[in-house]
Amino acid sequence: MGTRSGPKGIFPSGMASGKSGQRIEPSFGGNDGDGGDLRVDASDRVAGGGSKPRRAKSPERGAKREKRGRRAGGRGSGRSGSGGGFFGLVRRLAYWCVVLGIWGAIGVGGLVLYYGARMPSATSWSIPERPPNVKILAANGDIIANRGATGGEAVALEDMSPYIPQAVIAIEDRRFYSHFGVDPLGLARAMLTNVMSGRMVQGGSTLTQQLAKNLFLSPERTLERKVQEVLLAFWLEQKYTKDQILAMYLNRVFFGSNAYGVEAASRRYFNKSARDVNLGEAALLAGLLKAPSRLSPARDPEAAEERAQLVLGAMREEGFISDSEIKTAMSQAPTRAKSFWSGAEHYVADMVMDQVPGMIGEVTQDLVIDTTIDLTLEKKAEEVLAERLETEGGKLNASQAALVSIDGTGAIRALVGGRDYAESQFDRASKAKRQPGSAFKPFVYAAALEIGRTPMSVRNDAPVRIGNWTPENYDQKYRGEVTLADALANSLNTIAAQLVMEVGPQNVVKLAHRLGIDSDMQANASIALGTSEVTLVELTSSYAPFMNGGFKATPHVIRRISTADGTVLYENTYDNPPRVLDPAIVSEMNRMMVRVLTDGTGKNARLPGWEAAGKTGTTQSFRDALFVGYTSNLATGIWFGNDDGKFMKKVTGGGLPARAWHDFMVAAHEGLSPSPLFGTTGVQPVFDEGGIAAAGEMPADGFDAGSPDVFPERPAGMDGVESMDGMAAVDQVRPAEQAGGPIPPAGVGETTGGTRRTTLFDLLTGG
């Protein structure tokens, strides 16, 4: 066998190629590294396709590898059996958590950048102005109400009850003073709680986040809004102190029942300032923040109280209160608020808000309004009406009442617009127009005095016909010749109708307007019985000139409007009123209307120790009953009736209203020294000149007896007429043919003529 040389040694010549002529590479063996012997094991096979034969393994090297493999296998099987794979799993989980965390941070950062870019530049961010509040004060400076979008003024953190911020922090954000606007621990706790409960039971927003949402964002729940909320919370924390953020939150957050801020909520639910809230009340307020509408004590007092108990527990856990304090708070009766603001003073507040825009324009800043209201009188007026309605209203079918009391300058000292403001906010004193009935007759008599008649003038109480209208007295009886003073005291319809014919309806309307009635009135004969509708406020204020000596008393409730810093924007100018009645006329009218209370239909209104005057009024079918009267101190009008116009059960002005008037005026004059009415002392009665005149001498004043425009066939809503004993009934309207009375300008029985006097008022007005 021949051999040949190769680079690594000598290959046997017989092994140079296989059957296919391919070269066969020998395996290299040996363990001494010197090139060793070259040999081919018999077990080596030639791979098809010319594969290289395997290299011969060194027995010693193979043994080492096998030994190492056995050792490695032994260790691996040992770890697998003893938990070594767990640590590998932990390492892999940690690795992937880090990876996912990095990618999550990148994703969150991207979202923050994206939604942040959609927001205005941070340099332009500013706290929105709180909606302006209007603080309405009584004459003595006490708060009547707050009005505006919030319903309450802003209160400094140091001024409000300390229990309020403590309660809110304990239940809403325990780490408020330590976090940076977002509370990761609170957020994680809320997420865990919600996951375990399977529903949304806890929120993770901080007070700063809630403030940011309330100030800048919509209430919709979106990812964009949440990201923006967090960014705004960071900005708030950087720009304001914790106390400033908490104060802004407490003065703007919604507490249910249209109350925004702690002051509005405190007055809404407890009728007191946030400065005076006790522990139990503070816990109730803080509890409302979770669900203001659902937990409102005006809607569900039990649920509100249950939530307040949780707040108290949280306050104890935080160390804000002691066990003894929590026992005291839990022993308090649950707060039961009415479904709406309650108290008659809110009728006043509504009236004020109606008038403010006309005085200063749109309200754009916080205002302080000083009013003329005496809260003591206001509360007494409300109590009197409520008591009368409670004790007598049911059996007499009277469901509503109103009252207004005015001093000699026209300042409204008390106003009640209805039985219960919480049930009905409609103001029946200043907005409802109703027929005054016989309470309008003083204007007819005053107009007659101005053309020369006197309280001692005599007229014939007999059937009278005006066009197709024939008014009758309540008792359908006629008294013959009576003085005007007697006729007014006993509210005789026939005499009032005659006086309107003498004076002229248009002149009666002019006098009523001059004294203070602003409503339009129809100048027809039926005005003698008060068929033109007026408000109780204007009717009462028109009686004030009789009280103050003849000066106009423009009704007003606002004295001054100022800004929060004291700048005066408006001040009324009713301190120099014009004279509207001659003092002699005032004196005569006062002496006549005093007799209404002493001898006539208003006996139930008499005041012990005080000289008082007034007039009763009852409208058709007992729909309305009024008494308007005055002393030298106050003029007060009271109305009873029903909103739907249903008939009362024979309620007259001399009955229920007169009794209520008496109760209120006794309380209003308590502690005051009695003084007489203007012109009622030391005055001798004045008689008309001449004797009984013929019927034909009655002035017709150009009336057209056949004109239905002047004398309607049946005036709508004729007034009821009180009899001498104070009872009343509805005027009966009968066809003239049945009554058989005369038609103007013919006489009505016999009348007293008289010459027209020239008075001081005539000289002043050119009359």
Side-chain angles (χ1 to χ4, degrees), residues 339-341 343-344 346-347 350 400 417-428 643:
S339 58
F340 205 78
W341 300 94
H346 291 287
Y347 289 112
D350 290 347
Q400 280 293 352
R419 180 173 193 160
D420 188 344
Y421 184 84
E423 294 179 0
S424 171
Q425 295 80 54
F426 179 68
D427 184 359
R428 297 156 187 81
D643 288 336

Side-chain angles (χ1 to χ4, degrees), residues 375-555:
L375 274 182
T376 301
L377 295 182
E378 181 75 11
K379 294 297 183 183
K380 186 61 183 178
E382 183 178 22
E383 291 173 6
V384 165
L385 296 188
E387 182 180 356
R388 286 293 176 181
L389 286 171
E390 184 68 25
T391 57
E392 301 182 61
K395 62 184 179 182
L396 296 176
N397 196 32
S399 62
Q400 280 293 352
L403 178 149
V404 60
S405 189
I406 297 175
D407 69 14
T409 68
I412 297 176
R413 308 292 285 164
L415 181 141
V416 180
R419 180 173 193 160
D420 188 344
Y421 184 84
E423 294 179 0
S424 171
Q425 295 80 54
F426 179 68
D427 184 359
R428 297 156 187 81
S430 65
K431 293 183 178 180
K433 290 190 174 184
R434 292 182 172 85
Q435 295 175 349
S438 292
F440 188 82
K441 287 178 180 176
F443 306 117
V444 176
Y445 281 78
L449 296 183
E450 285 192 339
I451 66 169
R453 310 300 182 258
T454 76
M456 303 308 295
S457 296
V458 177
R459 292 295 180 272
N460 189 14
D461 177 22
V464 60
R465 177 182 176 186
I466 303 176
N468 294 323
W469 172 48
T470 303
E472 283 189 347
N473 297 324
Y474 156 69
D475 54 6
Q476 300 182 18
K477 296 179 180 178
Y478 301 98
R479 295 158 181 79
E481 293 184 359
V482 295
T483 65
L484 297 190
D486 288 335
L488 181 61
N490 296 295
S491 199
L492 301 181
N493 282 351
T494 59
I495 305 302
Q498 293 176 49
L499 292 178
V500 166
M501 293 166 57
E502 297 177 29
V503 176
Q506 67 276 15
N507 292 325
V508 174
V509 170
K510 288 179 181 179
L511 182 138
H513 284 320
R514 196 169 75 222
L515 267 59
I517 289 182
D518 295 325
S519 298
D520 293 333
M521 292 180 285
Q522 296 180 349
N524 54 31
S526 66
I527 199 172
L529 306 184
T531 55
S532 290
E533 296 180 338
V534 298
T535 68
L536 185 62
V537 168
E538 59 186 334
L539 179 65
T540 305
S541 65
S542 297
Y543 273 60
F546 301 129
M547 171 182 66
N548 65 25
F551 295 96
K552 186 172 184 178
T554 302

Side-chain angles (χ1 to χ4, degrees), residues 316-335:
R316 181 174 56 184
E317 291 176 6
E318 292 301 304
F320 290 138
I321 58 175
S322 63
D323 289 339
S324 60
E325 288 177 306
I326 201 171
K327 288 179 181 178
T328 302
M330 288 184 173
S331 64
Q332 297 172 355
T335 298

Side-chain angles (χ1 to χ4, degrees), residues 499-735:
L499 292 178
V500 166
M501 293 166 57
E502 297 177 29
V503 176
Q506 67 276 15
N507 292 325
V508 174
V509 170
K510 288 179 181 179
L511 182 138
H513 284 320
R514 196 169 75 222
L515 267 59
I517 289 182
D518 295 325
S519 298
D520 293 333
M521 292 180 285
Q522 296 180 349
N524 54 31
S526 66
I527 199 172
L529 306 184
T531 55
S532 290
E533 296 180 338
V534 298
T535 68
L536 185 62
V537 168
E538 59 186 334
L539 179 65
T540 305
S541 65
S542 297
Y543 273 60
F546 301 129
M547 171 182 66
N548 65 25
F551 295 96
K552 186 172 184 178
T554 302
H556 60 278
V557 69
I558 297 176
R559 292 194 301 113
R560 185 184 303 108
I561 302 177
S562 308
T563 61
D565 61 7
T567 302
V568 177
L569 304 179
Y570 167 86
E571 196 158 8
N572 71 45
T573 56
Y574 299 121
D575 54 351
N576 189 25
R579 178 175 290 279
V580 292
L581 276 179
D582 187 294
I585 303 296
V586 174
S587 175
E588 292 173 337
M589 286 300 302
N590 284 343
R591 285 186 287 120
M592 282 198 291
M593 284 199 281
V594 164
R595 290 193 55 195
V596 174
L597 275 68
T598 59
D599 306 318
T601 59
K603 291 178 180 178
N604 285 325
R606 285 179 293 187
L607 298 178
W610 280 84
E611 188 173 48
K615 186 68 186 73
T616 55
T618 311
T619 62
Q620 187 178 26
S621 302
F622 306 103
R623 287 189 176 92
D624 307 280
L626 305 94
F627 186 87
V628 184
Y630 53 93
T631 63
S632 58
N633 182 49
L634 288 174
T636 300
I638 294 181
W639 164 86
F640 280 85
N642 297 296
D643 288 336
D644 57 6
K646 288 184 178 179
F647 308 153
M648 294 180 287
K649 295 180 179 179
K650 295 187 177 180
V651 176
T652 69
L656 187 56
R659 289 191 291 273
W661 188 92
H662 166 271
D663 296 343
F664 170 75
M665 292 294 273
V666 166
H669 289 77
E670 186 176 355
L672 300 179
S673 299
S675 58
L677 289 170
F678 178 87
T680 57
T681 59
V683 178
Q684 299 297 320
V686 178
F687 295 87
D688 283 345
E689 298 178 3
I692 300 297
E697 297 180 17
M698 181 184 302
D701 289 313
F703 287 176
D704 180 0
S707 173
D709 295 331
V710 178
F711 304 114
E713 181 175 353
R714 178 185 175 88
M718 298 305 300
D719 177 44
V721 183
E722 291 79 3
S723 67
M724 295 183 66
D725 61 1
M727 294 301 294
V730 182
D731 290 321
Q732 302 296 321
V733 181
R734 296 182 177 180

